[in-house]
Amino acid sequence: MKKQVFYTLAATALLSSSLLSTLNVHADETAPAKDATTSTAKIAFTGGNDDPVHPLVPDDPDDNGTGDHGPLSIDHVSDITFGTQEISASEQVYNAENAEANVQITDKRGVEGGWTLTAATSKFTAEDHSELKGAVLSFKGGETQTTLDNTSASPEAHDVTFDNTEAKPVMTADSLKGQGTWVDIFQGTQGNNNKIQLQVPSGSAEAKEYTATITWTLTAGPTE
């Protein structure tokens, strides 16, 4: 009886295997033929766009920036104010009143090479040409920001203490970095922003308004 059962199961398995093989043959014979080919999608860009770029962080609603044109441009710079202060008998450090002072650069060239942004200051002088002697302006703790969709690597922001004699690097971009629009923002408390400071020694200030001019220069090319 055990042999009979064994042979019966073997025959059944053989029949199933043969039937499956027959079905596979028919399936292969009726499968549709496949073919493949390729096509292309192309786009080309030029680097000559000279439309001005509006500020990402304007100083006020009517601030339309510098209006600078060209594929590499300084779009915006903030005017800095330290308000009105009482004359002190000792050295003082005054914080800027701007909450979001910034400088903005746009690179639409689409080429290698990088760029360097420098700044230089004149001396603080009054209308009668008298000087606020020994005054030192500094920008520290700037942070780079850009648009949400910008995939370019960030430029590097630098702390600056001006000596009124030579230009200092404020923001630099190595080759193929800093593309698109970038802001170096010195963000702090409105009326008391310690990221931009003016140090004034004792005995220097008179009862006058003093102004310094900051000259910003953007240069294309390697940062070193």
Side-chain angles (χ1 to χ4, degrees):
M1 290 296 294
K2 289 183 180 179
K3 284 186 177 182
Q4 185 176 2
V5 172
F6 176 79
Y7 286 129
T8 301
L9 291 173
T12 302
L14 180 61
L15 177 61
S16 299
S17 175
S18 176
L19 178 60
L20 182 59
S21 176
T22 302
L23 291 174
N24 285 338
V25 169
H26 286 295
D28 292 340
E29 290 175 350
T30 58
K34 293 183 179 180
D35 196 4
T37 189
T38 61
S39 64
T40 62
K42 293 183 179 180
I43 185 171
F45 295 95
T46 63
N49 185 342
D50 62 356
D51 294 334
V53 179
H54 292 294
L56 298 181
V57 188
D59 289 326
D60 58 66
D62 297 324
D63 183 5
N64 293 316
T66 63
D68 190 11
H69 292 261
L72 183 63
S73 59
I74 303 175
D75 309 320
H76 178 262
V77 291
S78 296
D79 291 322
I80 309 302
T81 179
F82 293 96
T84 301
Q85 309 292 339
E86 291 185 350
I87 295 175
S88 175
S90 60
E91 179 180 89
Q92 296 294 312
V93 176
Y94 303 104
N95 294 337
E97 295 194 342
N98 311 61
E100 295 180 319
N102 68 88
V103 56
Q104 177 178 309
I105 303 302
T106 294
D107 184 358
K108 303 190 295 276
R109 297 171 299 163
V111 297
E112 297 181 4
W115 49 261
T116 298
L117 175 70
T118 62
T121 63
S122 67
K123 297 178 179 180
F124 280 81
T125 57
E127 286 188 356
D128 61 3
H129 306 293
S130 60
E131 179 186 340
L132 186 62
K133 295 180 180 180
V136 177
L137 177 66
S138 62
F139 288 68
K140 298 181 179 180
E143 298 179 355
T144 56
Q145 297 182 3
T146 188
T147 55
L148 291 175
D149 62 337
N150 192 346
T151 61
S152 173
S154 172
E156 183 179 358
H158 304 274
D159 291 348
V160 181
T161 299
F162 295 102
D163 56 13
N164 305 328
T165 60
E166 61 181 15
K168 306 285 187 178
V170 178
M171 192 162 45
T172 56
D174 292 335
S175 185
L176 297 180
K177 294 184 179 180
Q179 298 186 94
T181 297
W182 289 89
V183 178
D184 186 3
I185 185 167
F186 301 86
Q187 193 160 14
T189 303
Q190 180 73 41
N192 190 31
N193 185 350
N194 63 6
K195 291 186 177 180
I196 301 178
Q197 295 183 322
L198 180 64
Q199 179 180 340
V200 179
S202 62
S204 177
E206 300 178 35
K208 303 174 182 179
E209 181 178 83
Y210 297 90
T211 302
T213 299
I214 306 173
T215 301
W216 303 86
T217 304
L218 181 60
T219 305
T223 58
E224 297 181 357

